[in-house]
């Protein structure tokens, strides 16, 4: 069981290591949504996403022997860089299992933090198995991207910081992939502000979490087709799902089109670079899928790692209809 | 003569009205430039650029009678929105002279602040003349974009705030178009930190200011071809030029290619949206046109107003060679 005390302990470990990210506001966003919105900007977190919180909290708690034998994870995204940087800071060897077709820039960035990269062929192998085999061979510890109590507690510090800074909130909207950020933030929020509603937001085509939440049975969607690459996770985890059922009030979905429009609004008006997955929570409000006029609403901006080349591809799509 | 006392008085007028914009840092930018860089992020200023400081400082000092008769300016860029918003806040009628082919989004944004827009045909009229005629007809006051003592004093608060926040600097790099920001910042810097060097940065094809500085004679370039649209001003002003000669240590230029590369680095790594003109100062350092290893360097990020559609056009150009 993960409690608020675990999140407080995580906050102590992250003190002076993770950034206390800024909270931003936008008159235009408030006018459009008829509410008072506080954006918790994890795109300004180290490695450009909230993932650093959970990874560092997990790695820093390993025993000296386990630290020496290193950690392994599988990710082609922000968790890979989060583990690699945490390993560098804590002097723990890190090995990241990545698909051979992962973007060169992400492979280079992860290697840049000193991680060993093991490439695998998507058609021939399953990443979890490659990672587990490595752990067995080397005695290393697996740090999964979301289904780990220390990862969840670390991500929960995001909501803790936001509430400490802005005080009361009526609603918190959280981006949801595997549910690490959502479950951690829900525990923190329901402890600090029991009356604040918590809603998770997923992409429409990857709505496994929303369907799991409403049916109370874990649903899977393999490799959903969405621009929100951080939310292409096949399902919630065995740890995150029960927490979400207990602490989260609702789950909703947004379309890729709506996601892009909101992302571009955040870029053009707030002047911040947000990746598609990072705009999920904001989109639910911006597109009026969730309405809370007159309320104080927290919105997680979960990350800002996007290649500008990809942006061009997005802009070429028809997004205005 | 404009003195630091004018900048202090401007700061008092702007208190609680303009944003005290954040100062950002980047480990990667520091590593690349082997220095300690402090970015003063005016892309987060109201209307998305430093221009609000000068416009508000000028409009707020008008007599009640002049306020009633309104103000006029000519601009298709950030100064237009700065004047329009200042007028709205101070309840002063504003009229903006804009070319008929100005981007629809800028016309709409300026109108959104309640300004009256007068469109003119670039081929048939000169904007200064259209604006002056309006002033004569209506008894309105002209607020030019940079060549005005109150505008210059307002822009100088940018450097004042930066130095108050970070303390000593060895060098300050400032984006330069008509020289309003540069001259104001130079006065503030040389008062607060007499030993700090101040360098202005222009686009290569619009190097009128650099040539004016070195030849000590005002040079003009009509409508230079550069992506730095805020620096397409034909020349420094009769007020800004003497201040720059007196207080600025050097002027340098950067190519459009270098500007784009730096702009994209700021987007991808700092996660902030910067317009091309806003990246001028950073580019001089990033591309090693100015080198100051081991030094503490202030860099103005002057604005962040860019249409994403334009970005696509930039990305389609070959910028990596």
């Amino acid at each position: 069981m993960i409690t608020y005390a675990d999140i407080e302990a995580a906050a102590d470990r992250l003190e002076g290591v993770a950034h206390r990210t800024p909270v931003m506001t936008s008159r235009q966003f408030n006018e459009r949504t008829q509410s008072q919105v506080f954006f918790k900007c994890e795109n300004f977190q180290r490695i450009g996403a909230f993932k650093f919180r959970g990874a560092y909290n997990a790695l820093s708690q390993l025993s000296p022997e386990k630290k020496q034998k290193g950690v392994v994870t599988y990710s082609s995204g922000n968790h890979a860089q989060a583990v690699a940087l945490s390993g560098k800071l804590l002097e723990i060897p890190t090995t990241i299992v990545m698909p051979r077709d992962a973007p060169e820039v992400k492979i280079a960035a992860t290697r840049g933090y000193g991680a060993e990269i093991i490439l695998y062929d998507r058609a021939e192998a399953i990443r979890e198995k490659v990672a587990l085999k490595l752990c067995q061979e080397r005695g290393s510890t697996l740090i999964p991207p979301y289904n780990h109590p220390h990862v969840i507690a670390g991500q929960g510090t995001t909501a803790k910081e936001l509430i400490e800074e802005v005080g009361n909130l009526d609603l918190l909207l959280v981006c949801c992939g595997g549910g690490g950020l959502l479950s951690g933030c829900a525990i923190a929020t329901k402890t600090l502000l029991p009356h604040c509603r918590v809603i998770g937001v997923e992409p429409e085509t990857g709505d496994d979490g929303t369907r799991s939440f409403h049916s109370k049975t874990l649903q899977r969607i393999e490799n959903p087709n969405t621009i929100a690459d951080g939310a292409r996770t096949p399902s919630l985890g065995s740890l995150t799902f029960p927490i979400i059922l207990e602490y989260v009030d609702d789950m909703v979905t947004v379309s890729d089109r709506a996601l892009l429009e909101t992302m571009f609004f955040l870029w053009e008006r707030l002047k911040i670079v947000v990746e598609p997955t990072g705009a999920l929570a904001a989109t639910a409000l911006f597109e009026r899928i969730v309405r809370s006029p007159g309320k104080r609403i927290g919105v997680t901006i979960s990350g800002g790692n996007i290649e500008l080349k990809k942006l061009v591809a997005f802009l070429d799509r028809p997004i205005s209809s």
Side-chain angles (χ1 to χ4, degrees), chain A:
Chain A
M1 210 182 79
I2 302 154
T3 67
Y4 184 65
D6 298 312
I7 295 169
E8 284 183 308
D12 288 342
R13 288 181 203 103
L14 292 170
E15 179 80 38
V17 184
H19 294 320
R20 204 171 175 93
T21 53
V23 176
M24 299 187 81
T25 58
S26 160
R27 283 181 186 80
Q28 287 168 312
F29 200 98
N30 287 350
E31 276 169 25
R32 163 130 177 179
T33 60
Q34 292 293 302
S35 53
Q36 203 177 346
V37 181
F38 303 93
F39 296 101
K40 178 64 172 169
C41 294
E42 287 294 297
N43 51 336
F44 293 121
Q45 187 51 269
R46 292 184 82 166
I47 70 99
F50 72 94
K51 291 282 188 182
F52 178 71
R53 298 175 182 268
Y56 188 88
N57 188 48
L59 267 69
S60 61
Q61 291 181 69
L62 294 174
S63 67
E65 304 88 77
K66 286 198 168 178
K67 279 181 177 163
Q68 210 185 335
K69 289 186 173 170
V71 299
V72 173
T73 196
Y74 44 83
S75 165
S76 56
N78 295 331
H79 180 65
Q81 291 183 58
V83 168
L85 174 58
S86 299
K88 185 184 172 189
L89 296 171
L90 293 160
E91 297 181 0
I92 298 172
T94 56
T95 306
I96 319 287
V97 176
M98 281 185 160
R100 201 172 296 281
D101 59 0
E104 190 56 49
V105 59
K106 294 217 168 175
I107 296 175
T110 309
R111 196 173 269 139
Y113 291 122
E116 179 188 0
I117 312 291
I118 306 278
L119 297 173
Y120 74 98
D121 196 319
R122 280 183 206 261
E124 290 170 15
I126 296 166
R127 60 181 199 171
E128 287 87 340
K129 286 195 180 168
V130 177
L132 275 172
K133 188 156 168 284
L134 274 168
C135 287
Q136 283 160 2
E137 286 168 9
R138 302 177 175 183
S140 304
T141 306
L142 182 71
I143 307 289
Y146 52 88
N147 207 40
H148 187 295
H150 300 168
V151 171
I152 294 168
Q155 321 305 30
T157 60
T158 309
K160 177 178 181 286
E161 278 180 22
L162 171 62
I163 294 165
E164 282 171 359
E165 182 160 342
V166 306
N168 189 49
L169 289 174
D170 302 300
L171 171 63
L172 178 69
L173 291 164
V174 185
C175 310
C176 180
L181 183 64
L182 177 56
S183 55
C185 285
I187 294 170
T189 304
K190 292 296 183 177
T191 305
L192 295 171
L193 302 172
H195 299 293
C196 177
R197 299 187 79 219
V198 177
I199 299 179
V201 186
E202 279 189 318
E204 210 166 67
T205 53
D207 67 341
D208 55 280
T210 304
R211 292 198 284 116
S212 300
F213 180 80
H214 290 299
S215 68
K216 299 191 171 22
T217 314
L218 197 64
Q219 310 283 321
R220 287 180 71 88
I221 299 178
E222 299 297 334
N223 203 22
N225 180 22
T226 169
I227 55 165
D229 53 349
R232 283 194 202 124
T233 41
S235 72
L236 301 174
S238 58
L239 294 175
T240 57
F241 182 40
I243 298 171
I244 288 168
L245 279 181
E246 182 172 353
Y247 292 103
V248 171
D249 295 281
D250 203 359
M251 297 277 301
V252 299
T253 66
V254 299
S255 70
D256 274 16
R257 182 196 53 74
L259 200 52
L260 277 177
E261 281 185 6
T262 308
M263 187 178 93
F264 291 153
F265 183 94
L266 296 171
W267 287 46
E268 290 194 334
R269 308 299 173 89
L270 273 79
K271 316 297 179 196
I272 60 173
V273 174
V274 179
E275 62 185 89
T277 312
L280 281 167
T283 304
L285 201 59
F286 195 66
E287 297 289 324
R288 300 187 176 90
I289 291 154
V290 172
R291 292 166 190 247
S292 278
K295 301 294 187 184
R296 292 169 61 87
I297 305 175
V299 168
T300 59
I301 300 284
S302 62
N305 291 325
I306 181 169
E307 286 174 80
L308 288 169
K309 283 177 195 163
K310 281 201 180 164
L311 179 72
V312 180
F314 294 156
L315 283 169
D316 286 345
R317 295 189 194 189
I319 61 159
S320 60
S321 64

